[in-house]
Amino acid sequence: MPDQIKKPERRGLAIVGDLSGFDPCNSTVEFKVPVAPSKPGLVISVHGGGGTKDAAKITKEFYKLGYATLIFDAYDMNSIPLGRIGNAYRQKMLLKTSYAAYEWVLGRPEIDNKKIYFYGISNGASAVINIAGMVSPAHVRGVISEAPNPIGIGYPNAIKVPIQIIFGKLDDLSAPIGQKRWEISAPCFLNRRFDFAPIGFAEDCRKGKMKIRKPTTLEWVESVSKKNNSHIAVNYIDEMAHGAFLGPVNISTRNFGRGPIGWSTGGTPAAREKMMSLIKRFLDN
């Protein structure tokens, strides 16, 4: 659907202009449907800051479980190359394109459109948490969020479908030294309100607002309104840092000019096996 494609511009760390929806003809789109006696459910994979490679390997695991899969590069659909971009602007592109992909698959005859799931990693994990506040429970069974971050567009005030949040116990990516991913908070001026997203804590915690601090992911889990009998499960996995399928465990730090922060990635084969067993249980419920 070429009419869905827009041409925003990159200015420093920001993306400016109208954002793209979803074009199934984009060269990065991979829509795979297994041969099965009945229509399979579908997992829509939403990548992180590194593009589709962040979610490519785990998407193959979903296919092995018997699910149809859809993966695509939201940055490519916006003609934005990989590089240093603020979290909020990454999440805006991911959310807008992923929700449009969901609207597209609702009309696909190959899949069971009453058995759709979303999976997101890193910035994609934050995007799919927002999607949990937007989609219809009649079509979406749940959302899998691996290593989300509250810095960006924030999280919604209410969710409509269940969420499974997964953290590696070694995940310190973007966290101050000595802290873990689930402990991340920051001044509100780093957040940006996104009108396309559901109302959330970015409404009062964003640039130009006086509120001092955004909640951690775990604080949000306790406070969010859970509609339609939805729930949130938080799982922690041994021998795993940020992105179990990104490679072997690499304990590291980075410094972008404001002091060192954690930057540990990857997971062991045992951690990946454990994560897939937890996900399979979530998908089977």
Side-chain angles (χ1 to χ4, degrees):
M1 295 178 284
D3 59 313
Q4 293 264 325
I5 299 304
K6 309 297 181 184
K7 296 288 185 181
E9 297 179 0
R10 180 177 169 182
R11 296 181 189 172
L13 298 179
I15 305 299
V16 179
D18 292 339
L19 300 177
S20 293
F22 177 75
D23 179 6
C25 297
N26 180 275
S27 63
T28 69
V29 173
E30 294 183 22
F31 179 48
K32 296 181 65 177
V33 182
V35 176
S38 57
K39 291 182 180 182
L42 170 73
V43 179
I44 300 173
S45 294
V46 184
H47 63 78
T52 51
K53 71 178 186 296
D54 292 349
K57 290 182 179 179
I58 195 170
T59 299
K60 292 178 181 178
E61 297 299 315
F62 298 141
Y63 187 79
K64 291 178 185 177
L65 292 176
Y67 284 83
T69 56
L70 176 62
I71 187 171
F72 46 85
D73 193 316
Y75 305 153
D76 186 85
M77 288 200 195
N78 283 278
S79 299
I80 300 296
L82 292 176
R84 286 201 65 192
I85 303 168
N87 275 358
Y89 302 98
R90 295 181 192 272
Q91 292 168 22
K92 286 180 180 184
M93 289 187 286
L94 293 164
L95 180 61
K96 181 78 179 291
T97 300
S98 299
Y99 188 81
Y102 157 70
E103 293 181 311
W104 177 74
V105 299
L106 289 178
R108 299 303 305 180
E110 307 97 323
I111 61 122
D112 181 351
N113 71 7
K114 293 180 175 59
K115 195 178 180 182
I116 297 172
Y117 293 87
F118 281 85
Y119 161 81
I121 169 71
S122 199
N123 276 299
S126 302
V128 299
I129 282 178
N130 277 276
I131 281 174
M134 301 169 67
V135 291
S136 168
H139 296 290
V140 177
R141 294 275 190 90
V143 162
I144 303 157
S145 176
E146 184 186 354
N149 183 347
I151 300 174
I153 61 173
Y155 300 150
N157 287 341
I159 61 169
K160 300 178 180 179
V161 298
I163 300 177
Q164 180 183 53
I165 295 177
I166 299 173
F167 288 111
K169 289 185 179 180
L170 303 175
D171 190 354
D172 59 3
L173 196 113
S174 296
I177 299 300
Q179 293 187 17
K180 300 301 183 186
R181 181 83 169 177
W182 56 87
E183 298 176 285
I184 289 177
S185 181
C188 285
F189 72 82
L190 294 174
N191 267 9
R192 299 292 184 271
R193 172 80 181 104
F194 186 27
D195 289 341
F196 186 77
I199 297 295
F201 65 69
E203 189 69 20
D204 296 313
C205 177
R206 59 186 165 93
K207 185 178 181 181
K209 291 286 186 176
M210 294 302 293
K211 192 172 181 181
I212 297 172
R213 174 186 167 275
K214 62 175 62 64
T216 66
T217 297
L218 301 186
E219 288 170 338
W220 171 80
V221 167
E222 293 301 318
S223 65
V224 64
S225 174
K226 303 169 183 73
K227 299 183 177 180
N228 304 307
N229 295 316
S230 59
H231 60 274
I232 302 176
V234 183
N235 302 112
Y236 303 90
I237 299 179
D238 292 321
E239 300 179 3
M240 173 176 153
H242 190 80
F245 283 85
L246 296 183
V249 174
N250 177 32
I251 304 300
S252 184
T253 62
R254 296 283 292 272
N255 191 331
F256 295 102
R258 295 184 177 181
I261 56 175
W263 209 260
S264 302
T265 59
T268 64
R272 290 191 282 273
E273 183 177 347
K274 176 63 175 177
M275 187 170 81
M276 289 310 302
S277 70
L278 290 171
I279 289 175
K280 185 177 186 300
R281 194 180 311 158
F282 181 74
L283 295 173
D284 289 345
N285 283 341

